[in-house]
Amino acid sequence: MADLASRITKPSDAPAEDAVAPAPAATEGQGNGTEEPADDGVNKGLVETTYDVEVKLSDLQADQDSPLYSGVSSFEELGLPKSINDGLLAMNFKKPSKIQERALPLMISDPPTNMIAQSQSGTGKTAAFVLTVLSRVDLTKPTQPQALLLAPSRELARQIQGVIQTIGQFCDNLIVEAAIPGSISRETGVQASVVAGTPGTVMDLIRRRQFDVSQLKALVIDEADNMLDQQGMGDQCVRVKGMLPKTIQTLLFSATFPDKVMNFARKYAPNANEIKLRHTELTVKGISQMYMDCPDESKKYDILCKLYGLMTIGSSVIFVKTRDSASEIQRRMEADGHKVSALHGAHEGQNRDALLDDFRSGRSKVLITTNVLARGIDVSSVSMVINYDIPMKGFGDKEPDMETYLHRIGRTGRFGRVGVSISFVYDHKSYEALSKIADHYGLDLVQLRPDDWDATETKVQEVIKSSRARPDYAPNALDK
Ligand SMILES: Nc1ncnc2c1ncn2[C@@H]1O[C@H](COP(=O)(O)OP(=O)(O)OP(=O)(O)O)[C@@H](O)[C@H]1O
């Protein structure tokens, strides 16, 4: 068994840095009733101290080693139309990140070329593909669908819709619709130039002839490794693509592209330009990765409750394995006087939307969820992620889900912010799973001990206190 203990850092050298993660497959939240699809995330390495050192975004974007680095001084230099640049300015996006600077020129040039692009969590992949889509839309045909963006969950599809609307706020006549369960009227069908949806719903709309795909010019698959995975929504994505014009420009994006899906991705998006990360580049430096050594499973809940005060300094996401345990932990925590909410695939769609909107706005600060929210969700105030259950994959939970770990912890530490992840281990199996994740990504995980609560609080607080919102950061498009 890999030795987690050998990777423990002392309190004084605690701050962690990079992260990585692969991801499991998510469905549209219509999972099989208990366990929901996983996804990834990773971080690694410990940096010297500096939890409380405030690094400005402008400094990060000038650091060539940062994924936020930009060699150009503004978006204007990338040749985007003024209406789009105005939208970026309104969002306070001053300079592109590395993925935006590298991918955009390749994607917006003619003739259109396919793209397979990888970049760490929270580094601005959404804007990269949204800008491409907006540059291709003919606004004189506002109700003619011209671009389709697919995502693994209704929450992510809605978030992408919001980003398109925000960046495109000065594009006259731009109409963006979400194609998620219950969103498109049967009478009218799709009446938009840009559609962001989940594959099952999109497939149904096309089959029922409520979605005219004949003029589509661009297809974006976000979280593409997860979406194309045969155990996830690969089949649906293949069917959807089979119904689209053959000449469509296909853009695949994710923070993780495990080798096993790369071959398929290359078939799905033939002759694509590729931007890939090396293994060592997958981690996000701002995320301090820790683990909690729980004496046994029954103590996990008590330890979670003890962490509640730290969770509410900012906002927190608690990831658990099943819908049932999400609901059960919510019930117990509420009975114990804590304010928490739980969101998972068993909830009805509008309820899910309201729960996430509350979390985005800060009306709720602690969200218990499953892998359905592990990927893509961007809430800038999240300063802590808890892996109450270590993400596992395969039948019988035999192997850790490297990708899901990376994506889960990537819900914090977004675009230069800092955050903490705490993974709970309590027995040989969970300890070994986390050890494998640490070995895979070369992580130095900081150990937290439930019997030394002062040290735990100090280590966590050091990070979270410096994660406060700073004015040089652009707000998330949907955060209120
Ligand atoms: N150029 C920019 N300048 C400032 N902020 C930006 C810029 N680009 C993106 N952001 C912000 O960074 C945050 C993360 O972006 P985004 O959600 O696109 O990350 P991502 O790479 O898609 O992450 P994930 O892999 O987790 O889906 C968002 O809040 C977004 O508004």
Side-chain angles (χ1 to χ4, degrees), residues 40 57 61 68 70 75 88 91-100 119-129 131 156 159 163 167 222-223 253-256 374-380 406-407 410-417 472-479:
D40 4 324
L57 183 55
Q61 293 204 275
L68 308 184
S70 171
F75 276 99
L88 291 167
M91 290 180 83
N92 203 23
F93 284 17
K94 293 183 178 129
K95 285 172 72 173
S97 63
K98 202 174 267 180
I99 188 66
Q100 291 164 353
S119 173
Q120 298 89 340
S121 58
T123 54
K125 293 184 286 297
T126 314
F129 58 69
L131 291 169
L156 189 49
Q159 178 177 291
V163 173
I167 298 183
D222 197 11
E223 310 301 340
F253 276 80
S254 183
T256 51
R375 284 177 173 253
I377 298 305
D378 180 55
V379 179
S380 44
L406 193 71
H407 287 271
R411 295 319 97 214
T412 186
R414 302 189 62 78
F415 216 85
R417 296 178 179 85
D472 59 344
Y473 287 107
N476 172 290
L478 301 181
D479 293 355

Side-chain angles (χ1 to χ4, degrees), residues 261-370:
V261 291
M262 259 325 267
N263 285 344
F264 185 59
R266 290 184 178 123
K267 285 187 192 133
Y268 196 87
N271 306 314
N273 288 309
E274 289 184 20
I275 298 177
K276 289 216 59 200
L277 294 175
R278 287 189 294 270
H279 222 227
T280 51
E281 296 175 312
L282 289 175
T283 56
V284 173
K285 293 193 177 178
I287 308 173
S288 296
Q289 296 180 63
M290 308 182 182
Y291 71 99
M292 178 65 79
D293 223 342
C294 306
D296 59 59
E297 188 171 19
S298 66
K299 298 288 183 317
K300 282 169 69 181
Y301 174 78
D302 298 335
I303 292 169
L304 186 70
C305 289
K306 279 188 95 172
L307 282 168
Y308 182 81
L310 293 168
M311 286 179 209
T312 49
I313 295 176
S315 300
S316 301
V317 183
I318 302 166
F319 284 104
V320 300
K321 183 178 158 195
T322 67
R323 300 168 175 187
D324 288 349
S325 55
S327 297
E328 175 61 9
I329 292 170
Q330 176 194 23
R331 188 195 62 72
R332 286 180 72 183
M333 287 187 84
E334 283 179 345
D336 286 333
H338 301 305
K339 193 164 180 283
V340 296
S341 50
L343 189 163
H344 54 70
H347 291 144
E348 187 261 328
Q350 285 181 355
N351 187 19
R352 282 167 61 164
D353 297 347
L355 284 165
L356 190 57
D357 290 348
D358 281 352
F359 187 64
R360 281 190 191 287
S361 68
R363 286 189 291 276
S364 69
K365 295 185 85 180
V366 177
L367 186 63
I368 308 166
T369 190
T370 60

Side-chain angles (χ1 to χ4, degrees), residues 178-285:
I180 55 180
S183 67
I184 304 282
S185 138
R186 284 207 173 221
E187 284 75 54
T188 60
V190 172
Q191 296 287 320
S193 42
V194 182
V195 179
T198 45
T201 302
V202 165
M203 202 164 66
D204 289 347
L205 288 166
I206 301 174
R207 281 185 177 153
R208 286 196 222 115
R209 301 190 187 283
Q210 293 174 325
F211 181 4
D212 171 14
V213 295
S214 64
Q215 307 297 310
L216 283 183
K217 293 182 271 195
L219 169 67
V220 176
I221 311 278
D222 197 11
E223 310 301 340
D225 57 324
N226 176 229
M227 295 279 281
L228 297 180
D229 191 323
Q230 291 311 301
Q231 309 205 323
M233 287 175 268
D235 199 38
Q236 290 173 338
C237 290
V238 169
R239 286 188 206 180
V240 168
K241 185 150 191 234
M243 298 188 267
L244 309 184
K246 297 287 164 271
T247 53
I248 199 159
Q249 181 183 20
T250 303
L251 311 172
L252 308 183
F253 276 80
S254 183
T256 51
F257 275 103
D259 293 342
K260 70 174 174 103
V261 291
M262 259 325 267
N263 285 344
F264 185 59
R266 290 184 178 123
K267 285 187 192 133
Y268 196 87
N271 306 314
N273 288 309
E274 289 184 20
I275 298 177
K276 289 216 59 200
L277 294 175
R278 287 189 294 270
H279 222 227
T280 51
E281 296 175 312
L282 289 175
T283 56
V284 173
K285 293 193 177 178

